[in-house]
């Protein structure tokens, strides 16, 4: 019959209309797929993003309360990708400790011989130490709160001990080996000094004492240096 070609043309027209009507929907579904939208990022950048997310979440929630899914969501990656960069969550924690140790090891170390008055040296070291703690308070919080999870990693306290040992020798040398009438007590004085600096930041910034009374960090360090020098001379 002569009507068949027309019928075929009509069916083809309907098919084309259906395809056109379905295409936007298919494209919309495709555009809603997060994996399709997410651009590929270099491996080093992804690793940095995982560590940045871990710094925040471990400090706020704690190591045990943070899941790898939480880390993946904060880093905007698929949670399976985390294991491409770290074998487990504990390896992420260890990498954060590496970051913290690198920060503090970059600080100026107490010299073997005094090149400036002791009070000025204490003030210089103290301001640098306080600034480093404040700039990395999340890392310091993790170091303190996750002692059990760190399984005996003593690198941070070894850093403090080494700094106190160096400063203690300098104090002993400056005051002729006599601190408070006793010989070789410079280490204890230095330990007390660094302890007071750590306590200042934790009280002000971590425990919220700053909301009750603001204290200028530089003024606090200057006063602490003056008190320390008076105590040993």
């Amino acid at each position: 019959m002569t009507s068949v070609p027309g019928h075929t043309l009509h069916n083809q027209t309907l098919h084309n209309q259906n395809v056109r009507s379905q295409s936007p929907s298919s494209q919309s579904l495709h555009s809603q797929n997060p994996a399709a939208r997410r651009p590929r990022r270099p491996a080093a950048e992804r690793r940095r993003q995982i560590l940045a997310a871990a710094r925040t979440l471990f400090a706020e929630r704690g190591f045990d309360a943070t899941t790898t899914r939480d880390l993946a969501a904060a880093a905007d990656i698929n949670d399976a990708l985390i294991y491409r960069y770290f074998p487990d969550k504990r390896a992420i924690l260890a990498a954060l400790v590496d970051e913290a140790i690198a920060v503090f090891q970059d600080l100026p170390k107490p010299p073997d011989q005094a090149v400036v008055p002791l009070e000025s040296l204490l003030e210089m070291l103290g301001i640098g130490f306080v600034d480093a703690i404040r700039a990395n308070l999340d890392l310091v919080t993790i170091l303190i709160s996750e002692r059990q999870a760190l399984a005996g990693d003593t690198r941070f306290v070894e850093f403090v001990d080494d700094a106190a040992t160096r400063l203690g020798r300098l104090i002993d040398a400056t005051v002729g080996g006599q601190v408070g009438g006793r010989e070789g007590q410079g280490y204890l004085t230095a330990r007390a000094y660094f302890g007071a600096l750590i306590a200042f930041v934790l009280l002000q910034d971590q425990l919220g004492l700053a909301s009750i009374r603001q204290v200028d960090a530089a003024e606090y360090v200057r006063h602490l240096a003056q008190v320390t020098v008076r105590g040993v001379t």
Side-chain angles (χ1 to χ4, degrees), residues 78-153:
N78 187 297
D79 54 343
L81 282 177
I82 287 182
Y83 298 101
R84 182 178 298 177
Y85 304 100
F86 300 96
D88 52 35
K89 195 171 67 168
R90 194 171 296 277
I92 299 176
L93 180 61
L96 291 179
V97 176
D98 291 341
E99 285 190 4
I101 299 306
V103 166
F104 289 101
Q105 285 182 338
D106 283 343
L107 291 174
K109 293 178 174 58
D112 294 329
Q113 295 181 339
V115 293
V116 295
L118 181 59
E119 183 177 318
S120 299
L121 176 63
L122 289 173
E123 187 174 343
M124 178 189 70
L125 293 173
I127 290 176
F129 193 57
V130 166
D131 287 346
I133 296 175
R134 282 189 146 172
N136 298 275
L137 187 57
D138 50 358
L139 289 177
V140 175
T141 299
I142 293 168
L143 289 171
I144 294 172
S145 63
E146 303 300 338
R147 292 306 310 153
Q148 186 173 359
L150 288 171
D153 190 322

Side-chain angles (χ1 to χ4, degrees), residues 19-202:
V19 170
R20 285 194 298 270
S21 65
Q22 291 174 5
S23 295
S25 176
S26 300
Q27 293 172 359
S28 177
L29 288 173
H30 181 73
S31 65
Q32 292 173 8
N33 185 350
R37 293 199 314 270
R38 186 180 293 132
R40 292 183 63 85
R41 287 169 285 181
E45 181 183 348
R46 282 182 172 172
R47 190 178 189 277
R48 284 194 300 270
Q49 288 172 323
I50 293 170
L51 289 176
R55 281 182 67 154
T56 300
L57 294 179
F58 288 174
E60 291 178 353
R61 304 181 187 179
F63 174 77
D64 290 329
T66 302
T67 66
T68 53
R69 184 168 295 181
D70 295 331
L71 293 174
D76 191 30
I77 64 170
N78 187 297
D79 54 343
L81 282 177
I82 287 182
Y83 298 101
R84 182 178 298 177
Y85 304 100
F86 300 96
D88 52 35
K89 195 171 67 168
R90 194 171 296 277
I92 299 176
L93 180 61
L96 291 179
V97 176
D98 291 341
E99 285 190 4
I101 299 306
V103 166
F104 289 101
Q105 285 182 338
D106 283 343
L107 291 174
K109 293 178 174 58
D112 294 329
Q113 295 181 339
V115 293
V116 295
L118 181 59
E119 183 177 318
S120 299
L121 176 63
L122 289 173
E123 187 174 343
M124 178 189 70
L125 293 173
I127 290 176
F129 193 57
V130 166
D131 287 346
I133 296 175
R134 282 189 146 172
N136 298 275
L137 187 57
D138 50 358
L139 289 177
V140 175
T141 299
I142 293 168
L143 289 171
I144 294 172
S145 63
E146 303 300 338
R147 292 306 310 153
Q148 186 173 359
L150 288 171
D153 190 322
T154 59
R155 286 178 293 169
F156 178 67
V157 290
E158 285 174 1
F159 161 79
V160 175
D161 180 72
D162 179 68
T165 300
R166 290 171 177 269
L167 182 58
R169 291 193 192 117
L170 185 61
I171 292 173
D172 282 336
T174 301
V175 298
Q178 297 288 325
V179 177
R182 290 181 293 177
E183 185 175 351
Q185 297 297 304
Y187 172 80
L188 297 181
T189 301
R191 269 280 299 271
Y193 184 71
F194 283 114
L197 296 174
I198 295 172
F200 169 76
V201 178
L202 293 180

